[in-house]
Amino acid sequence: MSSSESGAPQGIAFTLDGVDELGFARILNDLMHDAAFGRPLQVQAQEPRTGQPARLTLVFLPEHRQTAVDAMQRLKTILLRHQVQVDSIHVPGER
């Protein structure tokens, strides 16, 4: 049984290369004030560290997949506003 069949949480993971701490804090501020990222979604954040890019993950249950995909599109818009290049995005179930 796959995690999507079991109802286990899934995540859309963004790797943000070249974002400094201040830029990351500004992005997080925008996320926390945007209704697109509220419940039932959860945002997990890892700030940039030496040699490691910043990461954002939108965590959701399988039944909230469309909400998460919509939020992913909103996040892309926010990142563009901050002139951030997304190094990679991993969406469960897509290749």
Side-chain angles (χ1 to χ4, degrees):
M1 184 182 298
S2 74
S3 63
S4 63
E5 292 170 352
S6 69
Q10 299 178 353
I12 300 174
F14 286 74
T15 302
L16 310 176
D17 200 25
V19 175
D20 62 16
E21 290 179 18
L22 181 58
F24 191 67
R26 288 178 176 155
I27 292 166
L28 282 180
N29 184 56
D30 282 0
L31 289 178
M32 296 302 108
H33 290 95
D34 192 313
F37 304 99
R39 294 205 181 274
L41 302 179
Q42 178 186 52
V43 177
Q44 295 178 349
Q46 178 185 348
E47 68 273 358
R49 296 191 178 126
T50 303
Q52 293 184 331
R55 297 184 195 279
L56 291 171
T57 304
L58 300 175
V59 180
F60 60 97
L61 294 174
E63 62 265 25
H64 301 297
R65 180 180 179 81
Q66 187 57 53
T67 302
V69 169
D70 293 344
M72 175 185 75
Q73 296 303 324
R74 179 72 184 129
L75 179 54
K76 288 179 183 178
T77 301
I78 290 171
L79 294 173
L80 284 173
R81 184 182 332 134
H82 288 278
Q83 301 177 342
V84 172
Q85 179 175 334
V86 177
D87 186 46
S88 68
I89 300 172
H90 174 72
V91 180
E94 295 182 6
R95 296 199 181 260

